[in-house]
Amino acid sequence: MAINGVPAMRTFGPVQVPDGHYFMMGDNRDNSFDSRYFGTVARGQIVGRATSVVLSLDKKNHWRPRWNRTFSSLENKAQ
């Protein structure tokens, strides 16, 4: 549960995200207080910037760490 007394959202959407806004998604479907609960976020409200990978796990390989990505920079990386 992300919010006390509110069940996790197993299904959600679709959502139309207005221009200049972002849909924020947590990394734990059942325990993330994200845009599914509080709506989209205006660009002007976002103050942080991701700069590096702290830990990367490979779910296709028994969730083993991908050491070549762990603690790596996000600068100049192709998506």
Side-chain angles (χ1 to χ4, degrees):
M1 288 187 175
I3 307 169
N4 250 352
V6 178
M9 291 191 195
R10 291 291 176 164
T11 60
F12 184 82
V15 172
Q16 177 122 14
V17 179
D19 287 343
H21 284 73
Y22 291 82
F23 186 88
M24 309 304 258
M25 193 69 176
D27 65 350
N28 184 330
R29 175 179 62 182
D30 293 343
N31 197 21
S32 290
F33 186 58
D34 53 28
S35 285
R36 295 170 296 167
Y37 296 96
F38 58 73
T40 60
V41 177
R43 173 62 187 102
Q45 295 296 111
I46 301 172
V47 296
R49 178 181 301 268
T51 59
S52 60
V53 175
V54 174
L55 180 63
S56 180
L57 303 175
D58 185 357
K59 72 178 185 177
K60 293 179 182 177
N61 192 19
H62 307 286
W63 297 99
R64 291 189 174 141
R66 291 185 280 197
W67 297 115
N68 60 319
R69 289 182 43 97
T70 300
F71 296 117
S72 65
S73 172
L74 292 175
E75 299 296 318
N76 301 319
K77 297 262 180 174
Q79 300 297 325

